[in-house]
Amino acid sequence: MGRLTGLVASVLLLAQVLLMARIPALEAAYGQDRLARIHRWVGFTSFNLMVVHVVLVTWGYAAGSLLRIPAMLWELTVNYPGMLLAVAGSLSLVMVVVTSVRAARRRLRYESWHLLHLYAYLGVGLALPHQLWTGQDLVSSTARTVFWWTAWGVTAAAVLVWRVGLPLTRTLRHDLRVTSVVPEAPGVVSVYLTGRRLESLGAEAGQFLVWRFLGRRGWTRANPYSLSAAPDGRSLRITVQSVGDGSAALGVVRPGTRAVVEGSYGRLSARSRSRRKVALIGAGVGLAPLRSLAEGLAYHPGEAVLLHRHSTHPLFARELGQLSAERGLGLVPLPGPRRGPSSWLGAGIHPQVSDLQALQHWVPDIAERDVFVCGPQAWADLVRADLRRAGLPPEHLHLETFGW
């Protein structure tokens, strides 16, 4: 059982790395937020099996004696090849798992959590020698040896190609640089960028890229920001709310600053669309990708409607008004604080009117549209529940949440 749990933990360890390797086929099929959720559960399962593996194998070498387990664990660590590296790798994974628990994540800045999470790669790498040197089940036959070396090689290649090689290539090819930073609302700025041959970048309205802005403190830590304007082949625009060190620093980034990018990513794009009519539902800065979709999607007057939740200052009010006048985009502003923790609407709605009734009043044919939703996780979950009650098939809901 100890060997079996170790083998399964190893497979899942590689799987969770592949889930976050930015493989284009996986990104297009599932979207980054869904992949992140799967990655989280695969990671916890792999870690739990790893712990069981250590306990059971040590217990087995101790001939079933619980009292001998501590001494046997020390003997295995010190005397068996690769075990010291495996212990170091395990400690790295323990740190990653502990800081990934929701209670711990709420206490950490995104930048700190992101830096600690990178130790997962160290943990995976340090586990390899132990498996190949002492894992009899991994090298006892040619087929097994080929399988495990191929699995490790493919995983390493995926990370090097999609997480390192492609971003560097795109950064050098397109030479993205900041042209201006424009305040949109208190704590919210839009960053305008230009570069070379942006039409070949492959970015679509509604998608996001992972950004690093050089020449400032903390530039090595990446942040995902959505495009808030449809790409035109000449420039890009992202709109960012100040919620952490990385996003706050963008308010003072200087024109000419070079950007390193990964992406584009996300299924919140025209590729997910399969119906003529669409509805866009966003909250706060979650309006950014929806605003770019409202500009980039093809539709006739009356075929697209945008519902926007905002507590104080509505974003892109002038631009959305222009899209409404020129292209017939329907606008439903939802101002004010939320009317309760179980509601996704503002306090201005009559208390006897449910969220579902209000939604069906504004968009009677909501079940016959493709619906794009972007906003905080808890808020988006409430929207999704009402869309299901309204009869929207799950395959026509395209949802993206921001959080970590």
Side-chain angles (χ1 to χ4, degrees):
M1 288 300 298
R3 289 179 176 180
L4 179 62
T5 52
L7 291 171
V8 177
S10 298
V11 172
L12 294 180
L13 191 64
L14 297 179
Q16 66 170 320
V17 173
L18 286 173
L19 286 169
M20 290 289 100
R22 310 286 197 240
I23 300 173
L26 290 178
E27 292 281 344
Y30 295 98
Q32 184 60 213
D33 53 347
R34 187 177 176 189
L35 287 176
R37 289 195 297 272
I38 299 173
H39 163 82
R40 173 180 171 83
W41 288 111
V42 170
F44 280 126
T45 304
S46 173
F47 177 78
N48 291 336
L49 288 174
M50 182 191 74
V51 173
V52 173
H53 160 71
V54 171
V55 172
L56 291 182
V57 166
T58 308
W59 190 11
Y61 274 98
S65 172
L66 291 175
L67 296 178
R68 290 189 58 202
I69 286 180
M72 180 56 63
L73 181 61
W74 175 259
E75 182 180 342
L76 290 173
T77 301
V78 174
N79 296 328
Y80 278 67
M83 285 299 299
L84 281 174
L85 295 176
V87 169
S90 299
L91 292 176
S92 297
L93 294 174
V94 167
M95 180 177 61
V96 171
V97 168
V98 169
T99 55
S100 295
V101 176
R102 294 189 186 278
R105 284 191 298 166
R106 283 194 289 265
R107 296 176 178 270
L108 288 171
R109 298 177 302 131
Y110 169 80
E111 291 78 10
S112 300
W113 173 85
H114 183 268
L115 181 62
L116 292 172
H117 214 68
L118 293 178
Y119 279 88
Y121 292 108
L122 179 63
V124 174
L126 291 176
L128 177 59
H130 144 67
Q131 292 183 325
L132 296 179
W133 292 342
T134 63
Q136 298 178 8
D137 296 292
L138 275 69
V139 295
S140 58
S141 72
T142 302
R144 291 176 180 177
T145 302
V146 169
F147 169 80
W148 284 105
W149 274 106
T150 301
W152 282 93
V154 167
T155 303
V159 172
L160 291 174
V161 170
W162 304 117
R163 294 301 302 267
V164 180
L166 186 60
L168 286 176
T169 301
R170 284 177 170 167
T171 297
L172 295 174
R173 176 191 301 162
H174 299 294
D175 191 25
L176 277 167
R177 295 182 183 272
V178 175
T179 57
S180 62
V181 178
V182 178
E184 298 284 358
V188 180
V189 298
S190 286
V191 181
Y192 292 76
L193 304 102
T194 189
R196 299 191 301 257
R197 300 163 55 191
L198 295 186
E199 71 281 354
S200 64
L201 180 61
E204 299 180 40
Q207 292 190 309
F208 70 92
L209 295 91
V210 179
W211 301 83
R212 293 176 176 88
F213 291 89
L214 305 183
R216 65 183 180 91
R217 186 177 180 183
W219 70 268
T220 57
R221 294 187 290 271
N223 295 84
Y225 299 129
S226 295
L227 298 174
S228 59
D232 58 8
R234 301 181 303 275
S235 63
L236 299 175
R237 185 182 77 176
I238 58 175
T239 300
V240 180
Q241 184 176 15
S242 177
V243 293
D245 290 352
S247 53
L250 286 183
V252 294
V253 70
R254 296 180 178 180
T257 298
R258 190 169 193 173
V260 178
V261 295
E262 297 179 45
S264 55
Y265 304 125
R267 299 185 69 248
L268 216 64
S269 71
R271 279 184 292 175
S272 301
R273 181 183 181 183
S274 59
R275 289 176 163 180
R276 182 170 55 86
K277 293 184 177 182
V278 298
L280 313 172
I281 307 176
V285 79
L287 182 64
L290 303 183
R291 184 257 175 253
S292 67
L293 278 172
E295 180 185 8
L297 290 176
Y299 54 86
H300 296 295
E303 292 181 349
V305 60
L306 171 65
L307 286 71
H308 177 213
R309 269 279 306 121
H310 58 89
S311 298
T312 52
H313 299 273
L315 292 176
F316 315 121
R318 181 185 60 80
E319 297 176 7
L320 292 174
Q322 186 174 354
L323 285 171
S324 177
E326 294 180 355
R327 301 193 55 192
L329 173 69
L331 296 177
V332 182
L334 307 173
R338 281 170 57 183
R339 57 178 180 170
S342 61
S343 173
W344 56 275
L345 295 178
I349 309 299
H350 194 282
Q352 294 183 352
V353 177
S354 68
D355 289 11
L356 177 59
Q357 290 172 328
L359 174 64
Q360 292 176 320
H361 171 74
W362 293 318
V363 194
D365 59 350
I366 188 69
E368 302 169 10
R369 296 173 179 251
D370 269 314
V371 182
F372 297 82
V373 178
C374 186
Q377 180 71 60
W379 177 88
D381 287 341
L382 295 173
V383 177
R384 173 165 45 190
D386 274 343
L387 289 170
R388 288 179 176 173
R389 296 187 189 102
L392 181 74
E395 63 269 21
H396 295 292
L397 171 61
H398 316 293
L399 184 146
E400 188 170 283
T401 59
F402 44 85
W404 51 278

